Amino acid sequence: MALHLYVWLYLAVLPRTLRYHAERGTDRLTSWETLSTLGPMMAEHRSVHGVGGVGRFDQWCPPLKFRGTEYKLGRLEYDRGCGERPDGTTGSVLHLHIPSGTPLSPDSCDESFDLARAFFERHFPDEPVSHFTCHSWLLDPRLTEYLPERSNIVRFLRRFTLKPPTSGAADLADGDLLEYLFSRPSRQEPVTESRLADLPQETSPQRAYVAHLRSGRNWLARTGWIPYRTAR
Ligand SMILES: CC(C)(COP(=O)(O)OP(=O)(O)OC[C@H]1O[C@@H](n2cnc3c(N)ncnc32)[C@H](O)[C@@H]1OP(=O)(O)O)[C@@H](O)C(=O)NCCC(=O)NCCS
């Protein structure tokens, strides 16, 4: 029951969320594309943790969706917010998220940016956006040491102007990548050699992960921006 508590909460607020979407003129397809990601999240929870529910995931993404802040538009998801811009000022930005699923092809990203501009300008004209911004392991430029230039991940990260890395531990992504690349529970503590030796090495990002940590370095989640108007 405890691991399903949030599922019940999301379902309880669903009618209110749908009303809010309708008030903003959101089409039904976008509403359901956005809110039906709860199912895949539960499937992912079962695959990573071996039990149903959502309780052991960080609870940051569904609340954004169920309070009408985040929308899935094509391949990518966007939440409206106030954020830092490249010149150090703050203002309306769209935080971009990359759910697991189909490949992150350049065409699917371009199409999603076009959908996002059309959607937010129509439904939230009072929030003029200056940049798309993203905070993700997918923006760690050291990925280019391991993955080919033609890979979707490298082509994705090359779109962004990066914020200089921070020196703190908050941006360490080693533990989170266990979940994203290996469907293993994410961890806070350092990933030891014995854990590395146990990881499958079937795909290029999985091999990159292990080789990079064995070189004595860490993976970082980096922050980057793309200008809103010209993003392609
Ligand atoms: C982001 C993502 C869609 C990119 O996938 P993609 O478009 O196939 O990426 P690329 O074209 O750059 O790379 C293809 C390689 O990655 C592998 N790959 C793709 N997704 C993978 C995953 N989740 N785990 C392990 N390997 C993966 C492919 O099998 C392929 O391997 P190969 O080169 O050995 O043949 C994918 O990594 C993913 O779903 N990640 C989980 C979600 C995530 O990390 N979101 C960001 C959260 S901050």
Side-chain angles (χ1 to χ4, degrees):
M1 170 66 185
L3 293 176
H4 287 83
L5 176 63
Y6 285 100
V7 178
W8 289 110
L9 286 175
Y10 299 137
L11 294 177
V13 301
L14 180 62
R16 179 69 191 93
T17 310
L18 288 170
R19 268 205 308 281
Y20 176 72
H21 282 187
E23 280 160 23
R24 281 278 174 173
T26 307
D27 60 283
R28 300 283 286 178
L29 182 65
T30 302
S31 283
W32 286 112
E33 280 274 301
T34 299
L35 300 170
S36 63
T37 53
L38 186 58
M41 273 198 73
M42 292 174 72
E44 218 168 312
H45 189 277
R46 183 172 290 282
S47 135
V48 171
H49 299 286
V51 286
V54 296
R56 289 185 184 150
F57 275 149
D58 281 346
Q59 290 296 324
W60 62 267
C61 170
L64 290 173
K65 288 183 173 146
F66 281 85
R67 70 167 187 250
T69 300
E70 180 170 315
Y71 295 86
K72 184 167 196 298
L73 298 160
R75 178 65 188 85
L76 303 169
E77 298 175 336
Y78 304 85
D79 75 82
R80 308 159 20 232
C82 187
E84 190 181 350
R85 297 186 289 213
D87 63 3
T89 61
T90 53
S92 287
V93 292
L94 286 178
H95 298 273
L96 193 159
H97 305 287
I98 307 96
S100 52
T102 54
L104 196 58
S105 72
D107 284 351
S108 69
C109 294
D110 288 343
E111 182 192 61
S112 180
F113 293 144
D114 286 343
L115 288 170
R117 277 185 288 258
F119 179 86
F120 287 100
E121 281 161 27
R122 176 159 184 211
H123 302 295
F124 298 93
D126 43 333
E127 297 172 12
V129 174
S130 63
H131 290 82
F132 292 109
T133 183
C134 181
H135 180 74
S136 173
W137 70 275
L138 294 167
L139 302 193
D140 188 328
R142 283 121 12 121
L143 285 161
T144 61
E145 294 176 29
Y146 304 94
L147 303 180
E149 278 297 319
R150 67 173 190 289
S151 74
N152 290 332
I153 291 174
V154 170
R155 286 193 284 183
F156 181 73
L157 80 81
R158 294 244 184 256
R159 293 173 186 263
F160 289 83
T161 301
L162 294 183
K163 181 178 175 176
T166 57
S167 54
D171 293 334
L172 278 183
D174 300 347
D176 290 343
L177 279 174
L178 290 173
E179 192 173 306
Y180 292 132
L181 292 179
F182 303 97
S183 294
R184 308 267 174 106
S186 156
R187 328 191 133 254
Q188 295 295 324
E189 65 267 28
V191 181
T192 58
E193 174 53 39
S194 69
R195 196 170 292 280
L196 289 180
D198 183 40
L199 295 174
Q201 292 289 270
E202 285 157 15
T203 71
S204 51
Q206 290 178 338
R207 292 189 289 275
Y209 177 83
V210 170
H212 190 69
L213 292 191
R214 282 194 172 139
S215 77
R217 297 180 288 174
N218 298 103
W219 289 108
L220 293 177
R222 295 285 301 271
T223 299
W225 297 275
I226 314 179
Y228 181 67
R229 287 268 147 238
T230 53
R232 287 232 32 108

